[in-house]
């Protein structure tokens, strides 16, 4: 695109983004009013499908995992915008400055549960699609907009279902998680490891006749903690970590426990696999008489479908020279006249499947700010919400026109 066409296009996109801002905000407010904890997203999905129809998506549907999907265009190159509708659960509503499910606009931001994670992202991508549709912006692309489910408890599982069960494999994925209008190109991975010791149960009045599995676990815990000194490191993500986060045993207080199990939270670098992680842990705990496994994560969608899978969420990193990152940079530069900062996330996202498992180029961009994620002052800046919609409207055109090549 030449500079004149660029300036005309940017003016049209920006003007329409502003014109649609109040409609976008009403949609976000409706989403915040809906309690949509993981596995209970039905009402939020239906409201998102309704909005996708209202903005004129060419096709609107709910996939087998219960994600809300809208399509714009029918071109060769498929771009998926992903933002999740489920939220973390509120532990104590009295800690919130406003009731969590009552959207409030204050100091230019909309407050409420999920505003930053990730309903603000849903509103951004849906209205990016609305701008594309209203301006009739076309190209050799198919844009899929997804209000995703299950992300809080099992990030990537619903996206995995879309790709592997429903056969929809995009060429690129943009995650509308919190980035404060900057770009994210990766994240650490995480997994859950169960480590178990076994003993012999006897009555607690005669402990010398038994074998206490908790006492056998003590040197195992120490060894697991000592592993932190030698975990893999990365020039961007730093050193991996692992921590014993739970401990369980038989609920029989007057018996010597016959088993003891601890849960280990492991944070991983890109490239670590289930096999490599398990091998490193087993090499330490098996000489001490313990076993180690990665359990299945039980997952049931709001439609009732079971999507159980290993509790293993790989890390990923998009190369600095990757064309997708260049397109993100070019989109920001075209809209706002300055390069966008690039970083990585500290938390996990659906990119753990798209990039970490499936190898689909993935990039993060959203209007929300990480400091408000899972916090009682959950909010999203409304001016940034409008700007994000403009970014999502322009990005597909930049992508297919090779602006980042």
């Amino acid at each position: 695109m030449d500079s004149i066409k660029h300036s005309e296009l940017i003016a049209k996109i920006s003007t329409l983004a502003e014109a649609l801002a109040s409609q976008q905000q009403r949609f976000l407010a409706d989403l915040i009013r809906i309690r949509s904890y993981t596995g209970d997203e039905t009402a939020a999905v239906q409201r998102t499908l309704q909005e996708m129809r209202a903005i004129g998506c060419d096709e609107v549907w709910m996939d087998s995992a219960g994600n809300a999907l809208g399509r714009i265009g029918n071109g060769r190159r498929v771009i998926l915008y992903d933002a999740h509708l489920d939220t973390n659960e509120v532990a104590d509503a009295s800690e919130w400055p406003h009731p969590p499910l009552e959207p409030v606009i204050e100091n230019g931001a909309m407050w409420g549960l999920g505003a930053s994670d990730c309903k603000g992202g849903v509103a951004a991508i849906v209205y990016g699609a609305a701008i594309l549709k209203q301006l009739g912006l076309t190209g050799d692309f198919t844009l899929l907009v997804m209000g995703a489910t299950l992300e809080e408890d099992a990030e990537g599982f619903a996206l995995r279902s879309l790709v592997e069960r429903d056969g929809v494999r995009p060429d690129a994925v943009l995650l509308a998680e919190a980035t404060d209008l900057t770009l994210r190109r990766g994240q650490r991975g995480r997994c859950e490891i169960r480590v178990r010791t076994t003993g012999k149960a006897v009555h607690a009045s005669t402990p010398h006749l038994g074998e206490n599995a908790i006492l056998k676990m003590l040197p195992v815990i120490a060894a697991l903690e000592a592993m932190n000194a030698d975990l893999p490191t990365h020039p961007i993500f730093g050193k991996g970590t692992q921590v014993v986060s739970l401990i369980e045993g038989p609920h029989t207080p007057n018996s010597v426990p016959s088993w003891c199990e601890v849960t280990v939270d492991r944070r991983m670098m890109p490239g670590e696999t289930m096999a490599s992680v398990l091998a490193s842990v087993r090499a330490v705990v098996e000489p001490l008489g313990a076993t180690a496994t990665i359990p299945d994560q039980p997952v049931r969608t709001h439609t009732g479908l079971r999507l159980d899978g290993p509790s293993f969420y790989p890390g990923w990193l998009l190369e600095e020279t990757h064309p997708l990152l260049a397109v993100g940079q070019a989109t920001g530069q075209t809209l706002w006249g300055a390069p966008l900062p690039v970083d990585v996330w500290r938390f996990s996202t659906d990119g753990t499947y798209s990039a970490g498992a499936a190898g689909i180029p993935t990039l993060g961009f959203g209007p929300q700010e990480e400091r408000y994620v899972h916090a009682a002052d959950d909010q999203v800046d409304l001016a940034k919400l409008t700007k994000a919609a403009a970014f999502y409207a322009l990005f597909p055109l930049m992508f297919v026109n090779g602006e980042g090549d």
Side-chain angles (χ1 to χ4, degrees):
M1 287 184 259
D2 60 41
S3 60
I4 295 176
K5 289 181 179 179
H6 260 180
S7 62
E8 292 174 353
L9 177 60
I10 299 315
K12 288 180 179 179
I13 289 175
S14 300
T15 298
L16 186 53
E18 292 288 348
L20 293 174
S22 60
Q23 187 174 325
Q24 182 187 34
Q25 292 167 24
R26 285 194 296 272
F27 172 47
L28 176 56
D30 285 351
L31 289 180
I32 289 172
R33 291 187 186 98
I34 299 169
R35 196 183 82 166
S36 54
Y37 294 161
T38 306
D40 189 25
E41 304 99 337
T42 302
V45 167
Q46 292 299 329
R47 179 64 186 87
T48 303
L49 294 171
Q50 177 189 5
E51 198 72 9
M52 290 174 172
R53 295 186 187 99
I55 66 166
C57 283
D58 298 327
E59 182 183 7
V60 174
W61 77 102
M62 185 174 71
D63 72 359
S64 59
N67 300 303
L69 284 145
R71 175 180 62 81
I72 300 272
N74 196 30
R76 178 177 56 91
R77 304 181 74 181
V78 180
I79 306 165
L80 175 69
Y81 291 169
D82 173 304
H84 63 90
L85 288 162
D86 60 319
T87 72
N88 66 306
E89 299 189 16
V90 175
D92 185 354
S94 68
E95 296 176 350
W96 289 59
H98 308 289
L101 300 182
E102 294 182 17
V104 171
I105 295 178
E106 184 177 280
N107 298 325
M110 186 176 293
W111 298 53
L113 177 61
S116 66
D117 187 32
C118 188
K119 292 179 176 180
V122 175
I125 61 176
V126 168
Y127 273 83
I131 294 167
L132 266 176
K133 186 65 177 179
Q134 288 199 28
L135 291 179
L137 302 175
T138 59
D140 191 16
F141 64 85
T142 297
L143 175 63
L144 301 178
V145 178
M146 181 167 75
T149 58
L150 304 175
E151 194 276 345
E152 290 291 351
D153 288 1
E155 60 269 27
F157 277 42
L159 182 53
R160 181 187 69 198
S161 178
L162 176 70
V163 174
E164 299 181 8
R165 180 184 295 270
D166 293 2
V168 178
R169 185 181 176 90
D171 297 297
V173 173
L174 267 69
L175 303 174
E177 294 271 11
T179 74
D180 197 12
L181 300 181
T182 64
L183 300 172
R184 296 289 182 273
R185 65 183 186 103
Q187 64 175 76
R188 292 196 301 175
R190 70 176 183 92
C191 73
E192 179 183 327
I193 307 164
R194 302 274 179 87
V195 178
R196 177 179 281 243
T197 53
T198 57
K200 179 183 177 183
V202 295
H203 197 280
S205 64
T206 56
H208 60 286
L209 299 178
E211 188 178 5
N212 192 321
I214 291 177
L215 296 181
K216 291 180 69 176
M217 182 62 77
L218 294 178
V220 175
I221 291 174
L224 289 168
E225 181 65 21
M227 286 181 67
N228 277 288
D230 298 312
L231 292 180
T233 62
H234 190 277
I236 292 173
F237 295 101
K239 181 180 282 292
T241 61
Q242 67 181 33
V243 61
V244 176
S245 55
L246 292 172
I247 185 165
E248 297 180 274
H251 296 279
T252 52
N254 47 4
S255 295
V256 171
S258 62
W259 62 273
C260 179
E261 186 173 270
V262 297
T263 298
V264 178
D265 179 291
R266 173 81 168 254
R267 301 289 160 154
M268 306 173 298
M269 301 300 108
E272 292 189 78
T273 66
M274 279 196 289
S276 67
V277 169
L278 273 178
S280 68
V281 173
R282 286 171 173 167
V284 168
V285 303
E286 286 182 351
L288 299 173
T291 61
T293 59
I294 292 177
D296 271 358
Q297 169 85 27
V299 174
R300 184 188 296 274
T301 73
H302 68 96
T303 64
L305 180 69
R306 295 303 299 255
L307 295 179
D308 301 4
S311 188
F312 185 88
Y313 306 86
W316 56 280
L317 184 68
L318 190 71
E319 300 91 342
E320 286 184 298
T321 57
H322 197 283
L324 184 63
L325 181 58
V327 172
Q329 291 279 41
T331 303
Q333 180 79 41
T334 300
L335 281 168
W336 303 308
L340 301 183
V342 180
D343 202 346
V344 294
W345 276 302
R346 308 305 167 194
F347 53 76
S348 192
T349 71
D350 277 348
T352 190
Y353 173 76
S354 61
I360 300 170
T362 300
L363 186 65
F365 174 87
Q368 319 93 298
E369 299 175 47
E370 289 189 45
R371 58 179 168 157
Y372 299 128
V373 170
H374 293 193
D377 55 351
D378 197 350
Q379 61 187 274
V380 61
D381 183 286
L382 294 176
K384 293 176 181 178
L385 190 70
T386 301
K387 293 181 73 173
F391 181 97
Y392 281 111
L394 180 61
F395 184 90
L397 303 175
M398 305 291 281
F399 184 79
V400 297
N401 285 322
E403 297 294 331
D405 292 346

